[in-house]
Amino acid sequence: MKTKKPNAELVWKQIEDMLAPRLRLSITDRVVYSHLVRHSRLEGQLSLRFSIPWLSRSVGLCSNSTRWAVRRLISRGLLRLAQCSKAGHVIEVLLPEEILAAGADKADGANRTAVSAPPSFLPAFYSQGEDFLKTAALRKSIHARERGRCFYCLRRLTPQARCLDHVVPQSEFGGNSHWNLVSCCLQCNSQKGERSALDFFRRLYRERRLSDAELAERLRALDTLAAGRLRPLRAAQANSLPHKARRPRLLPTAS
Ligand SMILES: [Zn+2]
């Protein structure tokens, strides 16, 4: 759909001066967003059909980093996913003034680091959903889902040496829903810190704490988690598991 071409100078200034600092966009997200704006709205098009390989080649990033950047931009409301298929993605690209207007009322004057009050323009992926830190039973259901292994390094865990970790850090508005919490060892929890899960998996691989195959499997698990298809194991389900601990296994569901 054709739209009026915006003032490119104004758009660029709004990205640099307002959008990036207010949403604390990473360099990767800025590059990907700017490139998509360039090829959609600055050409008078509201939406854009593209593939991850095309986008990653264009911005000089690997396909995994590009895919995650697109996901973050969608989840933060800078892009709207209109279609996703093997042929590629169709996204609507929002301009800075549209994004900021959507969240201006509550964002202005808000404490930008307050996890309990994320800006309203952050979507449910980051800020809503059932709070799985709220009760012991809910926390246990996340531990049960990982079946006694650290989500990151696959080390066997004991109840005394495990904790829950936010995959998207709370400082980046990662929420307490089941798709953002994983069971992990204390060492991984401490070492991951504010890093992205992707970066942390790479570190584990470089340190030879994950093999080639384990890294590939963990990245698939991360994708499945991000898609909301790695569900917590509630008490009844957990009790039906055999006592002998097993390697974590993905549990894709229909939704
Ligand atoms: Zn670990």
Side-chain angles (χ1 to χ4, degrees):
M1 185 172 60
K2 282 277 182 189
T3 60
K4 187 169 174 281
K5 286 188 185 180
N7 179 326
E9 181 185 341
L10 180 63
V11 170
W12 180 66
K13 285 180 178 176
Q14 286 174 334
I15 293 173
E16 292 298 314
D17 299 344
M18 297 166 68
L19 192 70
R22 285 182 66 172
L23 297 191
R24 291 187 290 178
L25 296 183
S26 67
I27 292 170
T28 304
D29 293 356
R30 277 161 92 146
V31 167
V32 170
Y33 173 70
S34 297
H35 196 74
L36 293 172
V37 170
R38 155 72 185 89
H39 286 278
S40 56
R41 301 302 290 269
L42 296 193
E43 295 296 335
Q45 299 285 346
L46 178 62
S47 60
L48 176 70
R49 179 184 290 277
F50 71 98
S51 68
I52 294 293
W54 168 80
L55 184 57
S56 63
R57 272 197 309 274
S58 303
V59 297
L61 292 167
C62 72
S63 55
N64 257 337
S65 299
T66 307
R67 186 175 294 111
W68 275 98
V70 169
R71 284 181 184 157
R72 283 192 298 272
L73 293 171
I74 292 171
S75 66
R76 290 184 161 212
L78 284 77
L79 309 176
R80 286 192 190 129
L81 188 61
Q83 191 184 325
C84 183
S85 69
K86 286 185 179 173
H89 303 281
V90 177
I91 46 135
E92 291 179 5
V93 183
L94 281 82
L95 292 173
E97 60 188 19
E98 296 164 345
I99 298 158
L100 295 170
D105 291 346
K106 291 192 178 177
D108 283 349
N111 179 354
R112 307 296 302 159
T113 61
V115 173
S116 58
S120 61
F121 49 81
L122 288 179
F125 181 84
Y126 272 76
S127 56
Q128 295 174 17
E130 189 172 3
D131 182 352
F132 273 74
L133 292 183
K134 201 165 63 178
T135 67
L138 288 171
R139 293 193 293 274
K140 209 170 172 180
S141 70
I142 301 289
H143 288 299
R145 182 188 64 195
E146 264 69 89
R147 291 180 163 83
R149 295 272 185 178
C150 171
F151 181 81
Y152 298 114
C153 72
L154 296 174
R155 173 189 298 179
R156 175 121 26 225
L157 298 172
T158 63
Q160 295 76 34
R162 69 185 185 188
C163 60
L164 293 178
D165 184 68
H166 290 85
V167 175
V168 175
Q170 289 180 295
S171 59
E172 292 183 17
F173 304 111
N176 297 339
S177 49
H178 68 78
W179 50 78
N180 195 42
L181 289 172
V182 294
S183 176
C184 71
C185 68
L186 301 178
Q187 185 184 3
C188 283
N189 179 259
S190 159
Q191 290 179 341
K192 177 176 173 290
E194 302 292 289
R195 282 188 185 82
S196 71
L198 193 61
D199 285 346
F200 187 57
F201 277 131
R202 286 180 177 148
R203 174 182 170 167
L204 292 174
Y205 177 70
R206 284 197 303 274
E207 293 176 353
R208 301 191 176 187
R209 291 163 64 189
L210 288 178
S211 67
D212 281 344
E214 286 169 339
L215 175 66
E217 191 273 332
R218 288 293 82 199
L219 293 180
R220 283 196 297 276
L222 191 61
D223 281 345
T224 310
L225 181 74
R229 291 189 288 118
L230 212 54
R231 297 294 182 87
L233 278 183
R234 309 280 180 164
Q237 296 167 291
N239 290 340
S240 68
L241 289 173
H243 286 297
K244 194 175 175 182
R246 297 179 297 182
R247 246 354 196 199
R249 184 170 58 84
L250 303 186
L251 288 178
T253 61
S255 62

